[in-house]
Amino acid sequence: MGDEPIMGDYLSADNIVALVTALIGVGVSIGVVWYERLVRGKSIGYRVQMDIAVDSDNELFSALPRMPEATLVLLRIENDGAEDIRHGDYTDRDEQRGLTVQFSGRHVQSAAVTQPDPSGLIEHFRLSADATGVRHRDNKVFLPRVPLNPGEHYKLLIRLTGGPVRSRVEITGGIAGGRVKPNRSVPMDEKPPLFSRPSRLITVMLTVCVTVLAGIIIVGKDTPPPMDCATGRLKVTGSTAFAPVMQQIARKYESQCPRSTVTVAAQGSEQGVRQLADAGAETGKGTAPAVIAMSDGPKPDGSYPNLRDHRVAVIAFALVANNDVPVTNLTTGQIRAIYRGDIANWDRLGGPDLPILLVSRTADSGTRDIFRRRILGGRGEPAFTSRDCRHKNSPSDRVIRCELDSTAEVLGTVARLPGAIGYSEVRAAASSAGVRTLTIDGQAPAPQAVADANYPFTEIEYAYTSGLPPADSLAASFLNFTLRGVGQDLLTAGGHLPCYTPEGLQRCQEPTAGASK
């Protein structure tokens, strides 16, 4: 008798509708999968994963002759159908040729196969011990007949000349009972979708939404977090310049993974890296501390050998001055003269009769180290000479220079003191009242400067962990979210160039990018 009300609840009209709807959704999903596998048949897809200009002075290509408009293209060729493609499925009359890659307006200089999956595919590109099946002539690359199971792929790295990037690229060739077609371009390491967009949309909408609805009504359980979420607590320390965007990423992660807590407590790049190393030493080799240290630029060579670096984004910085200073541009030579103490008044630079007040960061600051390396040519800043940033500690001091703990303090002090000059991350400077950003050698510190190697005041932002965090840890999940997930959009919105994008890949692989000459 006690069970009857419960059964009545389960057989309510709402629950019956939910159950029937869920069954329909699952049935439609199975039908979509069956239809997709049946009609796709044999198919080879291709997509351009990278198409960039090549600097002739790049050490990777220094052995090749200097060529005009040199470009580098990475092509991915994949079996995106439902059936195997065998050697005999290719229909070209030339038995040694399967597919032809053609470039509009460009001339092929060299071509090589890279990253075959599985690796055994590489054997199909060798005609003999001394002959390769990958040939090129004029604007074409000829590929051998490579057997591919569903989901298998290989990539071509091709160097071209004589034309601009993103010119037309086409692959032609016959597949008996199948087709060769272009696919949507996606980031380099992303796998192609198993199903077409309509089928994915129908499957997701009917299966996930309806099943979750039925589960909420009948079982009454909360919707679980995304599969890649991790639980626990994580501390992000280090760079104050990078702290604002890390706080946004932390809040976004917590909103998607509600059983996690990510605290951003920026204290300066060097101090954050040092504290991470100390925490790792205390916990020992068996357990990695739940800490990530952000650093403006890499840690010193040879220091903290147990730390593992992860390149996050290219970050741009700016030289800022008080609004009362009408100077808008400084050359690298003038900046160095100011920080040597050779120029101590703005009237020497066409400005008002005001002493130049140097508002700097402490020695733990990564921004200060970047300013020293990129702008001051490796020379350090003058000694600390002022406690209040406006009066000398001693009449014999040549300059007035103070040191502050954070980017926000630097910007606030420069805005408050007439004649003050300092440095900051670009977006923080642009949004601060009372300061103006200065061009350096005529180059503007706009947010897009991160993509322009000619602007000298840029650096790579690093995330450091104590060793490699376990795959199921909150540190690993949060790093993946930041580097390859939703965090990329927040990095871009913050004026930074994510390293794991086609545009950022090349900049983040250049350790000297943006260095002053």
Side-chain angles (χ1 to χ4, degrees), residues 40-44 79 81-99 124 143-150 152 172-180:
R40 280 170 60 189
K42 297 178 182 179
S43 174
I44 287 184
N79 181 345
E83 299 182 31
D84 297 342
I85 294 178
R86 304 290 90 193
H87 183 277
D89 290 331
Y90 294 93
T91 60
D92 196 287
R93 293 183 179 180
D94 187 341
E95 283 295 323
Q96 296 182 348
R97 183 187 303 172
L99 302 173
H124 296 283
L143 303 176
R145 302 183 176 210
V146 180
L148 294 170
N149 295 327
E152 294 182 347
T172 58
I175 301 294
R179 57 179 178 166
V180 178

Side-chain angles (χ1 to χ4, degrees), residues 338-396:
I338 291 172
Y339 280 83
R340 285 196 307 266
D342 296 340
I343 299 177
N345 196 296
W346 286 106
D347 60 7
R348 293 275 305 277
L349 300 169
D353 182 13
L354 279 173
I356 298 177
L357 311 178
L358 305 182
V359 182
S360 302
R361 293 289 306 282
T362 62
D364 286 330
S365 167
T367 306
R368 170 175 162 175
D369 186 61
I370 295 168
F371 183 65
R372 174 187 64 82
R373 291 186 287 108
R374 302 298 196 188
I375 305 301
L376 299 185
R379 181 186 179 96
E381 296 184 36
F384 170 81
T385 64
S386 177
R387 298 179 184 275
D388 62 2
C389 299
R390 62 190 308 173
H391 300 99
K392 297 179 181 179
N393 292 337
S394 169
S396 61

Side-chain angles (χ1 to χ4, degrees), residues 15-53:
N15 286 352
I16 292 175
V17 171
L19 283 172
V20 172
T21 306
L23 291 175
I24 293 175
V26 172
V28 170
S29 299
I30 294 174
V32 169
V33 172
W34 174 83
Y35 177 77
E36 186 80 18
R37 301 291 292 183
L38 180 66
V39 302
R40 280 170 60 189
K42 297 178 182 179
S43 174
I44 287 184
Y46 64 92
R47 46 197 166 112
V48 178
Q49 291 192 308
M50 181 175 67
D51 192 347
I52 61 174

Side-chain angles (χ1 to χ4, degrees), residues 304-324:
Y304 313 118
N306 293 330
L307 299 190
R308 178 71 175 267
D309 66 86
H310 312 266
R311 298 190 178 200
V312 178
V314 181
I315 178 174
F317 300 88
L319 200 64
V320 296
N322 181 274
N323 266 343
D324 291 339

Side-chain angles (χ1 to χ4, degrees), residues 140-444:
K140 296 180 180 179
V141 178
F142 305 105
L143 303 176
R145 302 183 176 210
V146 180
L148 294 170
N149 295 327
E152 294 182 347
H153 74 272
Y154 59 90
K155 298 183 181 182
L156 288 175
L157 189 63
I158 306 166
R159 191 175 191 265
L160 306 107
T161 60
V165 298
R166 291 184 289 275
S167 332
R168 179 178 173 81
V169 181
E170 183 180 14
I171 296 183
T172 58
I175 301 294
R179 57 179 178 166
V180 178
K181 62 180 181 62
N183 284 339
R184 179 179 65 90
S185 179
V186 296
M188 290 182 61
D189 293 325
E190 183 178 327
K191 292 185 178 181
L194 182 61
F195 304 113
S196 65
R197 183 173 295 178
S199 65
R200 293 199 307 271
L201 181 61
I202 293 174
T203 302
V204 171
M205 290 179 61
L206 292 180
T207 302
V208 177
C209 295
V210 176
T211 303
V212 169
L213 173 63
I216 292 174
I217 295 175
I218 298 175
V219 182
K221 292 183 179 181
D222 294 333
T223 303
M227 292 183 62
D228 59 348
C229 281
T231 61
R233 293 180 176 274
L234 176 69
K235 179 180 179 181
V236 179
T237 184
S239 168
T240 64
F242 212 67
V245 71
M246 292 308 297
Q247 289 171 344
Q248 295 178 22
I249 294 174
R251 300 294 81 76
K252 188 68 173 181
Y253 184 89
E254 289 176 336
S255 70
Q256 296 189 9
C257 304
R259 285 177 289 182
S260 62
T261 301
V262 181
T263 303
V264 179
Q267 299 171 321
S269 297
E270 177 59 29
Q271 185 174 354
V273 171
R274 185 169 59 249
Q275 288 182 352
L276 172 63
D278 292 342
E282 290 178 3
T283 58
K285 296 182 179 180
T287 304
V291 179
I292 295 174
M294 306 303 300
S295 175
D296 303 336
K299 64 182 180 64
D301 291 339
S303 65
Y304 313 118
N306 293 330
L307 299 190
R308 178 71 175 267
D309 66 86
H310 312 266
R311 298 190 178 200
V312 178
V314 181
I315 178 174
F317 300 88
L319 200 64
V320 296
N322 181 274
N323 266 343
D324 291 339
V325 177
V327 175
T328 59
N329 177 73
L330 290 175
T331 67
T332 302
Q334 289 171 332
I335 298 171
R336 293 177 181 178
I338 291 172
Y339 280 83
R340 285 196 307 266
D342 296 340
I343 299 177
N345 196 296
W346 286 106
D347 60 7
R348 293 275 305 277
L349 300 169
D353 182 13
L354 279 173
I356 298 177
L357 311 178
L358 305 182
V359 182
S360 302
R361 293 289 306 282
T362 62
D364 286 330
S365 167
T367 306
R368 170 175 162 175
D369 186 61
I370 295 168
F371 183 65
R372 174 187 64 82
R373 291 186 287 108
R374 302 298 196 188
I375 305 301
L376 299 185
R379 181 186 179 96
E381 296 184 36
F384 170 81
T385 64
S386 177
R387 298 179 184 275
D388 62 2
C389 299
R390 62 190 308 173
H391 300 99
K392 297 179 181 179
N393 292 337
S394 169
S396 61
D397 293 331
R398 296 183 62 190
V399 298
I400 298 174
R401 178 181 173 274
C402 63
E403 295 182 356
L404 301 175
D405 292 329
S406 70
T407 297
E409 286 182 296
V410 168
L411 291 171
T413 303
V414 171
R416 179 170 51 87
L417 300 179
I421 187 172
Y423 40 78
S424 161
E425 184 270 329
V426 163
R427 277 296 178 97
S431 60
S432 296
V435 302
R436 69 169 74 236
T437 57
L438 307 180
T439 59
I440 301 175
D441 294 324
Q443 297 289 332

